[in-house]
Amino acid sequence: MARRPISADIPETAFPETGHNHGSCETTLLERASRVFETKGMKLTDLRKRVLEEIAASHEALGAYEILARLSNKGPRLAPISVYRAIDALHEAGLVHRLESRNAFFACHAAHAPERDQVILSCEKCGRVAEIGGEEVFAAMRVVVEKAQFEARRIVTEVSGTCASCRVGH
Ligand SMILES: [Zn+2]
Ligand SMILES: [Zn+2]
Ligand SMILES: [Zn+2]
């Protein structure tokens, strides 16, 4: 079988253009959230929705504490544990992902299969995070890991650097 070139399904830039209509990113994600929770027989509770809205407000990653602080600024104080549980539920539902290197969460705007092998790109300048399919990268990782007679449970690939928008004019 002919090998697909690595760049075959990677878009020109995984990051949306600055100044894009982010409102539509948010609406799409919230609609997806209602569907996902309904399918799971779970509720998109008011708190889960508010937490998701907070994370989805940008393409940046937010720490759990930051999410809690932002929500508390807008209304009555919330118990940290309930906010952390809401984040967990959203994370499990695949609506937000964890940026492991910063222990922060970012919204999934890419409606991909839940088990897709992901390469996470994190821009050091604008703080935005994007995800791309990394099938070939993970396949290569598994080969290397198996050679070492190690059984992989989870592979994390995160790349930090500069997105195309941030490189313009530099
Ligand atoms: Zn957007
Ligand atoms: Zn995603
Ligand atoms: Zn950037």
Side-chain angles (χ1 to χ4, degrees), residues 3 12 18 23-24 30 48 76 78 83 107 135-136 150 156 160:
R3 251 187 89 79
E12 240 167 69
T18 38
S24 91
L30 279 155
R48 285 173 181 165
L78 292 159
V83 172
E135 229 179 278
E136 295 90 345
F150 187 81
V156 175
S160 43

Side-chain angles (χ1 to χ4, degrees), residues 32 94 97 106 108-112 116 118 131:
R32 197 173 115 217
H97 301 307
F106 63 97
C108 172
H109 291 289
H112 49 79
R116 183 177 82 161
Q118 307 258 73
E131 43 182 315

Side-chain angles (χ1 to χ4, degrees), residues 137-149:
V137 178
F138 279 69
M141 287 284 273
R142 288 191 187 100
V143 169
V144 175
V145 169
E146 272 163 32
K147 251 190 202 164
Q149 296 178 34

Side-chain angles (χ1 to χ4, degrees), residues 12-15 123 128 162-170:
E12 240 167 69
T13 169
F15 289 82
C123 179
R128 295 188 302 164
T162 320
C163 75
S165 311
C166 287
R167 282 200 312 273
V168 172
H170 291 279

